Amino acid sequence: LFRSLKRVGAAPRPGYSIMNSIVQQIHSLSTENESDLKKLKDFLRHEQETLKENASQIEQALQTLDPVQHTLGIAFLLAAQLNAAVFSNKRATFVFICNFLQAADELQVRKAAAPMSVVCRCFAQMAIEDGQQAMLKSLMPLLAAVTKLQENPEMLTPVHTEFLRVCLKAKVYHLATRLLDQPVFDISTSSSNSGNSSGSPQHVTPQSFLSYFYYGALVRIGTREYLKAIQLLLVVLTCPASCLSAIQADAYKKYVLVSLKVHGELKPLPVYTSHILQRYSKSPSYVLEIAEAFKASNVAEVQRILEDKQAAIEADLNVGLVQQVITSMRRHKIQTLTKTYLTLSLAEIAKEVGIEEAQTAEAEALLFDMISKDEIKARIDQTTGNVSFEEDDEELDVVMVEKLQGKLGQILQLSQRISAFEQEVVTSESYIRRTHNWASMEERDRAGGASSALGGYDFMDM
């Protein structure tokens, strides 16, 4: 049957166009039968060059197909058209994709995971190029595609990255946080891990993986959830690497700045960070200069770095973060003062944090803000101009106890999940076969008195 399909696509009868023959196969094989859908997918995969050569006819062909019944065929046709960038009416194509992504059949979407990823990537780019209104209209269709491509809510797909990219461009961070709040534990390399034989690659590439967590960190920075931003940046930075990625380089600069803002110091990278990134983190850069100035509580030096390195900072889109670091320097300095002094005048505090002593009102406003946000415990005597720092109440309140219990529960669930993953790996056929092969090799080496083929290399290091 497949040979006959190829023969129809490659050598159409006189008066019977190539595109018509492809559309006919889509109509005839778009059934609920698993075998028919597999044949259609194989046929369309082998007709990619034909579709590319006849991209100008695809728009007309799409009008004869139903978005629900012919999802698989439409995905391949759209991917070919978008890759060729052939449109008679780009706006009409955008609207068609909007409707298609929301109406598409979920089963066929997963079988067409690769072309669907191409469609969503090009669709997101079209929306960004068309401006704010187009970006807002594209979000619901992209979210629908995410849901249909996922086998479970914890699975990462390439469309996650496109959705976050559009949210960032449109500055609708609140919509992106809903996706980010769902933890990711599964990154499938096929359309199914549960016996489905379709085997469509999801194409979650290293770039797509890094971009998702990097964009997620930018969203968290935009919503001022800095601790969550640091967690996402660390996922990017600790990803195994044999060469430095531009995404990781940008992520490290933001990690330094956010770390200074949140912790008041540059936290070292985890020990399991790749040596490539560890080496990059020690190379000269404006973020390390800022970190040194921050450590010395030198606001003037940070201002000088901002002026001298303005071009590089603007190119990295880090001007806002650097400004926030300057502001946070004063807050961290005041927090340090609370550990050293019981009472200080507003003029003395202003001098310590780099504010002119005459501008005590600015220092007083900063103290009020920190007290209201529970960053410090202090009282301001406006008659004398003195500030009295109070010791923190170390007793845990009910809210903190509940928060700790919630965190401990999450840790327990994560531990159980890791144990389940480990059990799944060690009982898998491929793992057993591989470990059996290694054991057989070691036995042969011992029997022959030969040294190990690995030269004593620990298998667990691989």
Side-chain angles (χ1 to χ4, degrees):
L1 176 60
F2 180 71
R3 285 196 297 271
S4 67
L5 292 178
K6 285 293 290 177
R7 190 160 54 249
V8 170
R13 297 190 301 272
Y16 199 80
S17 74
I18 295 174
M19 190 57 65
N20 281 344
S21 69
I22 292 175
V23 170
Q24 184 183 37
Q25 297 303 328
I26 293 173
H27 275 283
S28 62
L29 292 175
S30 294
T31 68
E32 295 181 0
N33 187 294
E34 187 85 14
S35 177
D36 285 346
L37 290 175
K38 185 180 185 305
K39 291 172 185 176
L40 177 59
K41 178 182 170 182
D42 291 340
F43 168 66
L44 292 171
R45 285 173 60 187
H46 285 82
E47 291 294 339
Q48 290 302 293
E49 285 302 316
T50 303
L51 290 172
K52 184 178 178 181
E53 293 168 2
N54 295 272
S56 59
Q57 301 178 39
I58 290 178
E59 280 190 7
Q60 185 177 355
L62 289 171
Q63 303 306 315
T64 67
L65 301 174
D66 179 77
V68 180
Q69 186 178 351
H70 307 120
T71 295
L72 182 64
I74 291 175
F76 274 93
L77 294 183
L78 276 175
Q81 181 189 12
L82 293 168
N83 277 332
V86 177
F87 312 102
S88 62
N89 186 333
K90 194 172 182 179
R91 171 59 59 181
T93 301
F94 180 84
V95 173
F96 180 88
I97 298 175
C98 276
N99 296 330
F100 167 66
L101 293 180
Q102 295 182 86
D105 176 71
E106 185 171 313
L107 174 63
Q108 293 192 39
V109 163
R110 290 180 186 170
K111 290 185 175 298
M116 282 294 294
S117 298
V118 173
V119 170
C120 291
R121 185 181 69 248
C122 296
F123 176 64
Q125 187 59 37
M126 289 171 68
I128 291 170
E129 292 173 357
D130 286 349
Q132 183 73 8
Q133 289 301 316
M135 287 190 285
L136 294 176
K137 288 179 181 177
S138 71
L139 290 174
M140 290 307 295
L142 286 172
L143 193 56
V146 166
T147 304
K148 291 174 182 179
L149 280 169
Q150 288 178 307
E151 292 177 18
N152 59 72
E154 297 174 347
M155 177 179 284
L156 180 66
T157 74
V159 186
H160 279 75
T161 303
E162 301 306 324
F163 180 79
L164 291 188
R165 183 161 71 105
V166 177
C167 285
L168 280 170
K169 289 287 186 179
K171 291 183 171 59
V172 284
Y173 307 131
H174 64 288
L175 296 178
T177 55
R178 298 176 189 176
L179 199 67
L180 291 170
D181 286 340
Q182 172 61 60
V184 171
F185 293 110
D186 190 5
I187 304 174
S188 179
T189 56
S190 67
S191 65
S192 179
N193 291 327
S194 54
N196 191 340
S197 60
S198 61
S200 291
Q202 287 276 12
H203 291 294
V204 179
T205 61
Q207 179 181 347
S208 179
F209 177 87
L210 292 175
S211 295
Y212 171 74
F213 289 99
Y214 178 67
Y215 292 156
L218 297 184
V219 168
R220 295 302 191 187
I221 291 172
T223 56
R224 300 185 184 279
E225 297 173 285
Y226 298 108
L227 284 174
K228 291 182 178 180
I230 288 176
Q231 292 173 353
L232 293 169
L233 288 171
L234 283 173
V235 174
V236 178
L237 296 174
T238 56
C239 188
S242 57
C243 62
L244 182 66
S245 162
I247 299 171
Q248 290 180 311
D250 282 347
Y252 180 70
K253 294 173 186 176
K254 287 185 168 55
Y255 171 77
V256 173
L257 296 174
V258 177
S259 184
L260 291 175
K261 175 176 172 56
V262 174
H263 301 299
E265 61 178 341
L266 173 56
K267 293 288 186 180
L269 293 172
V271 293
Y272 49 85
T273 306
S274 69
H275 69 280
I276 298 290
L277 202 61
Q278 291 279 15
R279 188 162 61 242
Y280 174 77
S281 69
K282 298 172 184 176
S283 60
S285 64
Y286 67 82
V287 291
L288 292 187
E289 292 180 29
I290 291 173
E292 286 298 317
F294 195 103
K295 187 176 181 180
S297 300
N298 193 335
V299 177
E301 178 64 12
V302 178
Q303 289 282 14
R304 183 195 66 76
I305 296 169
L306 177 58
E307 294 173 3
D308 292 350
K309 310 287 185 177
Q310 185 174 0
I313 295 172
E314 288 179 350
D316 293 334
L317 302 178
N318 283 335
V319 175
L321 269 179
V322 174
Q323 294 286 8
Q324 291 184 50
V325 167
I326 294 173
T327 303
S328 68
M329 284 182 69
R330 293 171 174 169
R331 306 177 86 93
H332 285 293
K333 183 63 177 177
I334 290 175
Q335 288 174 336
T336 303
L337 293 175
T338 65
K339 300 174 183 177
T340 308
Y341 300 97
L342 292 175
T343 305
L344 282 175
S345 67
L346 285 172
E348 289 172 325
I349 292 174
K351 181 181 179 181
E352 288 287 344
V353 300
I355 300 174
E356 293 183 17
E357 292 185 48
Q359 298 178 346
T360 56
E362 185 178 346
E364 185 177 2
L366 179 57
L367 285 166
F368 269 125
D369 187 51
M370 294 183 69
I371 294 170
S372 65
K373 292 181 178 177
D374 206 26
E375 294 179 17
I376 60 171
K377 292 187 180 296
R379 289 182 298 171
I380 302 175
D381 188 339
Q382 292 182 320
T383 57
T384 62
N386 289 333
V387 179
S388 301
F389 298 117
E390 302 173 353
E391 293 185 3
D392 290 335
D393 184 5
E394 295 184 356
E395 293 185 6
L396 294 177
D397 57 19
V398 176
V399 176
M400 181 58 70
V401 170
E402 290 178 353
K403 187 175 180 181
L404 284 174
Q405 288 177 340
K407 291 293 183 183
L408 288 172
Q410 291 177 7
I411 292 171
L412 182 60
Q413 288 179 359
L414 185 59
S415 175
Q416 292 171 344
R417 182 181 290 270
I418 292 171
S419 297
F421 282 158
E422 182 181 15
Q423 185 66 23
E424 183 179 342
V425 169
V426 299
T427 57
S428 66
E429 182 181 346
S430 60
Y431 178 84
I432 294 171
R433 184 170 58 251
R434 182 167 295 184
T435 52
H436 176 73
N437 291 340
W438 279 106
S440 299
M441 287 175 60
E442 288 182 355
E443 286 181 8
R444 287 197 300 270
D445 289 342
R446 283 196 296 268
S451 61
S452 171
L454 290 177
Y457 193 88
D458 187 354
F459 174 71
M460 296 306 294
D461 289 340
M462 296 183 66

